[in-house]
Amino acid sequence: MLSSEFDMQVRHIPCQTIINPTGGYLEGGFTHTINLYRGCALGNTLCGLYCYAQWNPYHVQGRKWGAFLDIKEGVTEIYRQQYDRLKHPRSGEPKPLHIFMSSVTEPYPPQERKARRTRQLLEEMVHRPPDFLVIQTHTPLVADDLAVLLALHERCRLQINITVETDKLQLPPPFPPHAYSPESRIQALHTLHAHGLVTVATVSPLLPLDNPWRFARDLEAVSNQVVLDHYLLGDGSPQGLRTKQTELPRLLKETGFDDWNTLEKFEAIVGIFREVFKASPRVGVSREGFTASGKGAHL
Ligand code: SF4
């Protein structure tokens, strides 16, 4: 852990629903999302700078991003009830469950080590498996759950996405530090991949790289697929309007990385990844890349 900036308000809140229909960016690839927390403990670190979730008014409720974390209570019971209604309806066919966890929070914040919301849900899923589950995380803590992930892998299609948006240990000040080093996240991908789990490295949004060829080779060695995204393509608003409201584009420019604000640079990096990953279906781009596996493309 590189940052100790976790001075925040932590609340426990009742859970109303946990399996929620998907909309927006993930629609078409996934039927539902699951968010076990609200807010994010990593909101004051590098990824919090451009985090797309900070624009979700329902989750943020007027609070400052990075200043709060709500931990949902009663999650496994609600999952059980909703799952049984969807998969064992009194009438009609069972509904498909292609779940993306999580879309507006981090499923493995540091508080997960004590709260164990994600682990408890995964244990429940071993008994009530979705058809497909993608775990999307920014932290290496997902590797703590190797045993339950292996059990769930036997019961459903499972894919673990870990975001590694740069190979740089630190972007120049005044960029905030990473919460967890790129190396620790690549190591987590390695651990999961070596045990036969499907892993995807998400370079999203792409940030400046020290050595694109070496970074692509490092990710190729530990993941079935990579998905690259640029804020101009994939922040859920036209031409990256949301990200343009953050400090990211300005800081890139002021620290000498203005070319990383352009799609020309992004396309050059995608080209390098396509060469390194050889089979081009292993390189996904933006929304298509994120939703392809949910549409049935097996990795
Ligand atoms: S870990 Fe994810 S949800 Fe949390 S601040 Fe970073 S990008 Fe946002």
Side-chain angles (χ1 to χ4, degrees):
M1 185 100 224
L2 298 181
S3 170
S4 57
E5 294 289 300
F6 295 114
D7 189 17
M8 57 170 46
Q9 185 189 47
V10 179
R11 296 190 313 183
H12 291 255
I13 61 168
C15 172
Q16 313 291 344
T17 65
I18 199 66
I19 307 175
N20 293 314
T22 308
Y25 193 76
L26 297 168
E27 207 166 14
F30 297 88
T31 60
H32 297 84
T33 56
I34 286 182
N35 292 284
L36 299 172
Y37 296 92
R38 259 193 205 160
C40 188
L42 276 55
N44 292 321
T45 69
L46 178 62
C47 63
L49 187 68
Y50 50 77
C51 177
Y52 310 148
Q54 68 186 293
W55 306 111
N56 184 306
Y58 175 74
H59 281 265
V60 175
Q61 297 178 340
R63 295 171 288 180
K64 184 176 177 299
W65 191 247
F68 68 97
L69 182 74
D70 296 343
I71 303 175
K72 296 185 183 177
E73 294 292 338
V75 163
T76 48
E77 292 79 0
I78 301 288
Y79 175 82
R80 210 175 291 143
Q81 291 164 14
Q82 286 189 271
Y83 181 95
D84 288 350
R85 279 200 295 274
L86 289 163
K87 284 298 189 190
H88 309 292
R90 291 211 177 115
S91 64
E93 295 294 312
K95 301 284 189 302
L97 263 182
H98 294 195
I99 295 173
F100 191 90
M101 180 173 84
S102 296
S103 56
V104 286
T105 189
E106 166 56 57
Y108 285 97
Q111 289 80 358
E112 167 65 15
R113 281 205 155 129
K114 187 167 173 214
R116 292 300 185 204
R117 285 299 173 280
T118 300
R119 180 177 293 179
Q120 288 161 9
L121 184 68
L122 295 177
E123 287 168 350
E124 183 61 34
M125 284 180 171
V126 173
H127 303 289
R128 285 175 169 78
D131 302 292
F132 181 42
L133 173 67
V134 168
I135 298 173
Q136 173 73 56
T137 179
H138 234 102
T139 89
L141 305 186
V142 60
D144 289 359
D145 281 352
L146 179 62
V148 68
L149 292 170
L150 289 171
L152 190 55
H153 177 58
E154 297 294 315
R155 303 280 284 132
C156 73
R157 277 182 67 211
L158 173 66
Q159 175 182 314
I160 298 129
N161 295 2
I162 301 183
T163 298
V164 194
E165 62 281 74
T166 175
D167 58 354
K168 286 181 176 293
L169 184 59
Q170 167 78 61
L171 270 79
F175 276 104
H178 290 290
Y180 297 88
S181 68
E183 189 186 352
S184 70
R185 288 177 267 160
I186 293 172
Q187 180 57 43
L189 282 165
H190 170 71
T191 301
L192 301 171
H193 192 62
H195 282 84
L197 296 171
V198 174
T199 55
V200 173
T202 49
V203 184
S204 172
L206 174 69
L207 295 181
L209 302 177
D210 279 334
N211 187 331
W213 288 95
R214 189 178 61 202
F215 186 51
R217 283 194 293 271
D218 287 349
L219 295 184
E220 197 276 336
V222 297
S223 50
N224 297 69
Q225 194 194 20
V226 66
V227 177
L228 296 115
D229 206 357
H230 192 282
Y231 74 82
L232 291 171
L233 299 175
D235 77 348
S237 66
Q239 286 90 46
L241 281 177
R242 283 175 171 169
T243 307
K244 285 176 182 167
Q245 294 174 53
T246 74
E247 298 287 280
L248 178 65
R250 181 179 67 79
L251 290 183
L252 286 173
K253 187 173 181 189
E254 289 178 4
T255 53
F257 294 115
D258 201 21
D259 51 338
W260 296 83
N261 276 318
T262 68
L263 290 180
E264 288 74 21
K265 187 71 174 181
F266 176 70
E267 279 153 19
I269 299 295
V270 170
I272 290 173
F273 273 76
R274 288 204 165 116
E275 278 205 43
V276 170
F277 275 69
K278 297 188 179 71
S280 66
R282 291 180 66 206
V283 179
V285 173
S286 197
R287 183 179 182 173
E288 273 303 305
F290 275 100
T291 57
S293 55
K295 290 173 182 161
H298 287 254
L299 302 178

